[in-house]
Amino acid sequence: MSAPSSLYNAIVTLVLAPGIVSHEFAHVQACRLFGVRVTASRYLNPFAEDAYVDHERVDSFVADLGIAVAPLLVNTILGAAAFVAFGLLVGSSLAYLFGWLGAVFALTAVPSPSDTSSLFRTAGNLPRGAREVAYLVAAPVRALTAIPFASGIYGYVLAVALFSLAAGPV
């Protein structure tokens, strides 16, 4: 990796650190909830392109989906809470901290393509009938995360929506 690329990754990691950590931590907690062993993790990886949580192979669609979308649930809640705090603290210097946290949590809420890569495989493990329903759930989740740059766009839209709903009139 080139020096400019490493520097860019370090800056992005520094700016988004709370959201990245909560995103990866949500995966780990979902793994624990579903009894899936975590084999390796790096919550912050400042000179590389991604942080990660590696876990044992999951064959249950419900567990796979839960692990994949855990950051969406956790970071959306954290982002909304931060924006509520921002709205309550407008006029205070602390408001800026909570506004930044709300944006960071929202921007990092969307699962990555690697988070959703096994959804079709685990959906295929289900009995007929349940399999079709699982495919209907997996298809939009996978499509929304597999499109290049889509997670950034969705994160931005989520940040604006959460800010609008949670912070109230500023």
Side-chain angles (χ1 to χ4, degrees), residues 65 68-69 111-120 135-147 150 154:
L65 181 65
V69 301
S112 69
S114 62
D115 294 341
T116 62
S117 64
S118 58
L119 289 176
F120 285 115
Y135 284 141
L136 287 173
V137 171
V141 172
R142 179 65 180 148
L144 293 175
T145 62
I147 298 168
Y154 301 138

Side-chain angles (χ1 to χ4, degrees), residues 17-139:
I20 294 169
V21 170
S22 60
H23 179 109
E24 300 306 333
F25 187 70
H27 287 308
V28 169
Q29 292 307 309
C31 284
R32 290 181 181 155
L33 177 70
F34 290 107
V36 174
R37 188 172 58 85
V38 172
T39 56
S41 64
R42 172 130 333 178
Y43 285 10
L44 289 176
N45 202 4
F47 298 106
E49 292 186 14
D50 63 350
Y52 62 88
V53 170
D54 291 336
H55 54 76
E56 66 187 358
R57 181 182 166 108
V58 176
D59 291 320
S60 161
F61 177 72
V62 171
D64 194 20
L65 181 65
I67 294 166
V69 301
L72 183 61
L73 176 67
V74 169
N75 280 23
T76 298
I77 291 169
L78 290 172
F83 282 136
V84 166
F86 170 83
L88 295 172
L89 295 169
V90 167
S92 156
S93 58
L94 274 179
Y96 296 108
L97 171 66
F98 286 100
W100 167 69
L101 285 172
V104 164
F105 289 133
L107 288 170
T108 56
V110 179
S112 69
S114 62
D115 294 341
T116 62
S117 64
S118 58
L119 289 176
F120 285 115
R121 179 186 55 78
T122 58
N125 293 338
L126 293 169
R128 191 175 173 99
R131 182 181 321 142
E132 284 74 19
V133 172
Y135 284 141
L136 287 173
V137 171

